[in-house]
């Protein structure tokens, strides 16, 4: 098996105005991703997904160019089954020979950001290829799945205090979800306004439905502590991204101040970021985004860190179908795997990019046993929504 081509395509799918939501990221008018297609001499094709930010944000132009013009020439002619070696080649750049020889990293200076996002999409496609070549699902190659189905939570929750209860109970009814997530933080103004929304949500849901809150990193340490103190009686499953990802010390300070579990990770890159969080005592849940953090390979390493520190793994899955499927495989194969995020915001790349559907029943999602990622990309859909790109 040899790689004959690597091609990244920026896909932008408009979201109808009536389905758009408004958050601290602004109005989400489209869902974007960079889709990676790797073809081999024997005719097998693997797909991956890379991104830098959520929704219609992010530097997809630069990300796509990086894959097509820098990484693709490096990969052509290589054996796609050498996933670990190729990850090191891409991560270490011109010093890859030192890394492969000496057994430790010599990363390029741009070892975060779109560089690792690009590696994420490539790594995902390589695992997809490996599974297809062996006629086995990725979770089998990772050591097997611990269950045929995994629990999922409904992710959304932008309504105001008057409507949040109705919105979240509707989520529960749509898939039998046993847990839901809502957004809080700077978009609410004062902390007390977020607390009022959480109170209304808990009163509507009752005591038996799990409730998560996500501040998107918008609180100060003081605000996050105040929020935690005021919601401690509402039995949160976790409080996600209380402060900016740049403030690891503050994150640990928030966690040390409260009994509310803390979840982080969607904006972190590689195992090294997650190790830093674990060592500082900053989290109870790790949430790597497989289209950002370094792909399936790195997510499994992150899961191993979570397991070693007795933390739980709950990947960030506000993604398209490819990264979502990758998250299913990693969560099912990781000892620390706990729960899956299921977007109930408008997400056309989750529901229309693949011919297969990810169905939630009784709050559970089936872990597919089809080869590779188990996803058949709708090439027509992808090409209809491809952003014209020179070169």
């Amino acid at each position: 098996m040899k790689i004959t081509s690597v091609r990244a395509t920026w896909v932008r799918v408009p979201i109808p105005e009536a389905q758009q939501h408004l958050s601290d990221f602004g109005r989400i008018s489209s869902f974007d991703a960079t889709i990676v297609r790797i073809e081999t001499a024997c005719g097998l094709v693997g797909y991956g997904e890379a991104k830098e930010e959520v929704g219609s944000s992010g530097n997809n132009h630069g990300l796509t160019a990086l894959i097509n013009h820098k990484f693709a020439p490096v990969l052509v002619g290589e054996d796609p089954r050498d996933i670990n070696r190729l990850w090191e080649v891409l991560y270490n750049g011109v010093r890859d020979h030192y890394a492969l020889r000496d057994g430790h990293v010599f990363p390029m200076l741009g070892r975060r950001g779109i560089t690792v996002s690009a590696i994420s999409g490539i790594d995902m496609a390589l695992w997809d290829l490996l599974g297809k070549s062996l006629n086995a699902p990725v979770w089998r190659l990772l050591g097997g799945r611990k269950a045929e189905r995994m629990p999922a939570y409904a992710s959304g929750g932008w309504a105001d205090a008057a409507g949040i209860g109705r919105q979240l109970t509707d989520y529960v009814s749509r898939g039998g979800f046993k847990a839901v997530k809502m957004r809080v933080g700077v978009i609410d103004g004062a902390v007390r306004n977020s607390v009022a929304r959480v109170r209304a949500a808990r009163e509507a849901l009752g005591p038996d439905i799990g409730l998560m809150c996500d501040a998107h990193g918008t609180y100060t340490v003081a605000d996050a502590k105040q929020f935690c103190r005021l919601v401690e009686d509402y039995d949160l499953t976790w409080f996600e991204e209380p402060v900016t990802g740049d403030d690891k010390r503050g994150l640990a300070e928030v966690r040390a101040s409260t009994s509310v579990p803390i979840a982080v990770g969607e904006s972190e890159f590689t195992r090294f970021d997650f190790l830093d969080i674990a060592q500082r005592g900053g989290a109870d849940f790790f949430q790597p985004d497989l289209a950002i953090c370094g792909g399936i390979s790195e997510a499994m390493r992150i899961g191993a860190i979570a397991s070693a520190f007795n933390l739980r793994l709950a990947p960030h899955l506000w993604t398209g179908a490819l990264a979502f499927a990758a998250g299913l495989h990693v969560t099912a194969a990781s000892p620390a795997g706990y729960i899956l995020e299921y977007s109930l915001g408008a997400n056309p790349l989750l529901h229309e990019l693949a011919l297969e559907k990810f169905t939630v029943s009784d709050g559970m999602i089936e872990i597919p046993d089809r080869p590779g990622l188990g996803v058949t990309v709708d090439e027509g859909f992808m090409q209809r929504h491809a952003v014209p790109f020179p070169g």
Side-chain angles (χ1 to χ4, degrees):
M1 286 181 70
K2 297 294 180 183
I3 296 173
T4 55
S5 71
V6 177
R7 183 69 183 173
T9 302
W10 175 8
V11 176
R12 163 169 283 182
V13 187
I15 296 173
E17 186 173 355
Q19 298 176 34
Q20 296 174 11
H21 68 265
L22 185 67
S23 77
D24 49 280
F25 289 108
R27 180 169 294 279
I28 307 301
S29 59
S30 69
F31 206 100
D32 295 50
T34 295
I35 305 302
V36 181
R37 183 184 190 274
I38 300 180
E39 187 169 356
T40 65
C42 62
L44 288 177
V45 177
Y47 289 91
E49 178 180 343
K51 63 176 183 166
E52 190 192 27
E53 295 183 34
V54 297
S56 48
S57 303
N59 185 11
N60 285 90
H61 188 283
L63 179 56
T64 303
L66 176 65
I67 294 171
N68 287 337
H69 299 299
K70 181 176 181 179
F71 285 157
V74 173
L75 293 167
V76 169
E78 295 283 355
D79 189 325
R81 296 169 294 188
D82 294 337
I83 298 174
N84 287 341
R85 186 178 68 81
L86 293 176
W87 202 100
E88 295 299 322
V89 166
L90 299 179
Y91 184 66
N92 293 283
V94 295
R95 299 188 295 183
D96 64 321
H97 57 293
Y98 294 126
L100 295 170
R101 183 193 69 190
D102 293 348
H104 67 90
V105 296
F106 292 80
M108 63 181 73
L109 297 183
R111 66 191 190 281
R112 298 290 187 273
I114 65 171
T115 295
V116 176
S117 295
I119 295 172
S120 301
I122 292 167
D123 179 85
M124 207 180 293
L126 293 176
W127 279 102
D128 189 34
L129 269 171
L130 181 60
K132 289 173 178 174
S133 73
L134 298 173
N135 196 34
V138 167
W139 56 257
R140 177 68 70 196
L141 309 179
L142 298 175
R145 60 185 177 185
K146 57 188 181 181
E148 294 183 358
R149 300 195 305 160
M150 293 286 292
Y153 68 92
S155 183
W158 301 275
D160 61 15
I164 190 66
R166 182 170 61 254
Q167 185 177 55
L168 295 181
T169 53
D170 176 63
Y171 289 176
V172 171
S173 68
R174 287 163 64 177
F177 291 98
K178 305 299 189 296
V180 295
K181 186 166 77 181
M182 61 183 287
R183 271 58 185 178
V184 297
V186 70
I187 197 169
D188 290 331
V191 172
R192 66 177 178 274
N193 296 330
S194 286
V195 174
R197 293 177 60 242
V198 174
R199 181 188 308 115
R202 177 50 76 198
E203 289 173 353
L205 293 169
D208 298 326
I209 300 296
L211 177 61
M212 298 86 154
C213 293
D214 185 354
H216 289 163
T218 60
Y219 279 145
T220 64
V221 171
D223 286 343
K225 287 181 176 180
Q226 181 185 16
F227 176 83
C228 288
R229 185 175 69 253
L230 295 175
V231 300
E232 280 195 338
D233 291 338
Y234 301 131
D235 190 24
L236 296 187
T237 302
W238 70 57
F239 178 29
E240 183 172 333
E241 288 198 298
V243 298
T244 173
D246 290 335
D247 189 4
K248 302 293 192 296
R249 178 203 58 80
L251 177 67
E253 186 179 333
V254 172
R255 182 174 180 246
S257 74
T258 182
S259 63
V260 177
I262 302 298
V264 293
E266 68 183 65
S267 61
E268 305 295 345
F269 297 90
T270 76
R271 61 195 181 274
F272 303 109
D273 283 352
F274 286 88
L275 179 60
D276 188 20
I277 293 169
Q279 290 175 331
R280 290 173 181 264
D284 299 277
F285 293 87
F286 277 174
Q287 298 176 297
D289 187 310
L290 275 71
I292 292 175
C293 75
I296 291 171
S297 298
E298 200 69 353
M300 288 300 292
R301 296 165 189 149
I302 292 164
I305 294 171
S307 182
F309 280 83
N310 204 28
L311 309 176
R312 290 169 171 172
L313 184 70
H316 179 252
L317 296 177
W318 199 274
T319 62
L322 292 161
F324 185 85
L328 300 188
H329 290 274
V330 167
T331 307
S334 172
Y338 180 65
I339 197 168
L340 303 162
E341 180 175 26
Y342 192 87
S343 164
L344 285 186
N347 188 341
L349 280 177
L350 174 61
H351 302 294
E352 300 176 58
L353 176 64
L355 299 182
E356 298 82 6
K357 304 303 176 187
F358 301 101
T359 303
V360 182
S361 176
D362 196 29
M364 306 287 283
I365 296 180
E366 181 182 351
I367 308 301
D369 57 5
R370 298 179 294 272
L373 292 175
V375 168
T376 306
V377 169
D378 184 339
E379 289 272 6
F381 173 85
M382 195 171 80
Q383 294 307 317
R384 284 195 303 275
H385 297 287
V387 176
F389 201 90

